[in-house]
Amino acid sequence: EIDAEFATEGQRLICLSETVDVFSGAYSDSDKRRDFIRRFAAPAWNLTVDSALQAVESRIPSIQHHGNYVRIGRAPLESPQAGIEHDSGTYACTGFTVRMMESIAVCIRENEPVLLVGETGGGKTSILQQLARISGRKLVVQNVSLQTDSTDILGGFRPLEIHHIARRVFQDFVDLFTATFSRKQNEKFLQY
């Protein structure tokens, strides 16, 4: 409610989820995340530590399709294709994976960059592929490792010989010249 002077427990739990994603989402250690919830997040939103931990660790967000958008927990995402079949039959949507999809979907909704880091075979790409399938989006996968160079991601310059560049400039000149002057009368000039 806009004019309400208090927030319901449901609203505070949504705020708690946002707080945990923003301030402790980068923690790979779940004990650090729990400590953050105990010491800061739960008291900040006037929630008991037990209800806050349960909301963050046990809750399984729902995946709902609504015409031109899909809602993954608290994150609505536009879906260019209505009525997408989201059950691939080969992907197990566990509580962890759906919570991770929800966190990534929040970042997408807010146009925030996401960096997924973890062991090989940990499911990072699979989660994104499922999220793309659910939301009807195309996914381009770029695998990055210690051997990845910035030119692999951003592109780079390759050496060119001058005659490759000059040939295009010369052809543009000839096209422009013949559009203005007679090709036949200038045949000797254009033979180079």
Side-chain angles (χ1 to χ4, degrees):
E1 252 182 75
I2 294 174
D3 294 331
E5 293 184 20
F6 63 92
T8 65
E9 184 175 4
Q11 291 167 330
R12 289 183 283 138
L13 287 172
I14 290 171
C15 292
L16 170 78
S17 296
E18 296 285 346
T19 303
V20 170
D21 277 352
V22 169
F23 294 106
S24 71
Y27 291 148
S28 60
D29 183 6
S30 59
D31 289 334
K32 286 184 180 179
R33 196 175 305 114
R34 286 186 193 108
D35 187 49
F36 172 79
I37 292 169
R38 279 188 200 96
R39 293 177 57 200
F40 301 105
W45 293 109
N46 198 20
L47 295 165
T48 65
V49 171
D50 290 337
S51 68
L53 288 171
Q54 181 180 5
V56 171
E57 296 177 347
S58 302
R59 179 182 64 88
I60 299 176
S62 63
I63 299 172
Q64 303 167 347
H65 291 272
H66 302 279
N68 62 344
Y69 74 97
V70 62
R71 178 178 288 279
I72 302 166
R74 64 187 194 275
L77 293 176
E78 288 185 24
S79 179
Q81 303 171 7
I84 299 204
E85 181 61 41
H86 67 276
D87 184 14
S88 68
T90 60
Y91 188 81
C93 283
T94 64
F96 172 78
T97 61
V98 178
R99 283 191 300 274
M100 182 63 68
M101 275 193 272
E102 178 188 41
S103 295
I104 295 168
V106 168
C107 291
I108 292 169
R109 182 192 70 205
E110 299 299 327
N111 201 24
E112 289 289 329
V114 179
L115 176 63
L116 299 178
V117 178
E119 295 294 324
T120 302
K124 301 174 295 293
T125 303
S126 297
I127 287 174
L128 291 175
Q129 287 170 333
Q130 182 67 7
L131 183 58
R133 188 179 301 115
I134 288 170
S135 62
R137 300 291 180 148
K138 180 182 175 187
L139 175 67
V140 177
V141 176
Q142 176 68 48
N143 290 317
V144 179
S145 67
L146 293 174
Q147 289 76 31
T148 303
D149 192 344
S150 62
T151 58
D152 295 333
I153 298 171
L154 303 174
F157 296 106
R158 60 186 173 104
L160 292 176
E161 295 192 23
I162 192 69
H163 66 75
H164 290 291
I165 298 169
R167 184 75 186 148
R168 283 195 304 237
V169 172
F170 176 72
Q171 190 59 50
D172 290 344
F173 169 76
V174 169
D175 293 342
L176 183 60
F177 185 86
T178 56
T180 309
F181 303 104
S182 169
R183 180 184 287 268
K184 197 174 227 179
Q185 291 177 347
N186 294 292
E187 191 69 37
K188 184 177 179 184
F189 175 71
L190 295 174
Q191 284 182 356
Y192 291 101

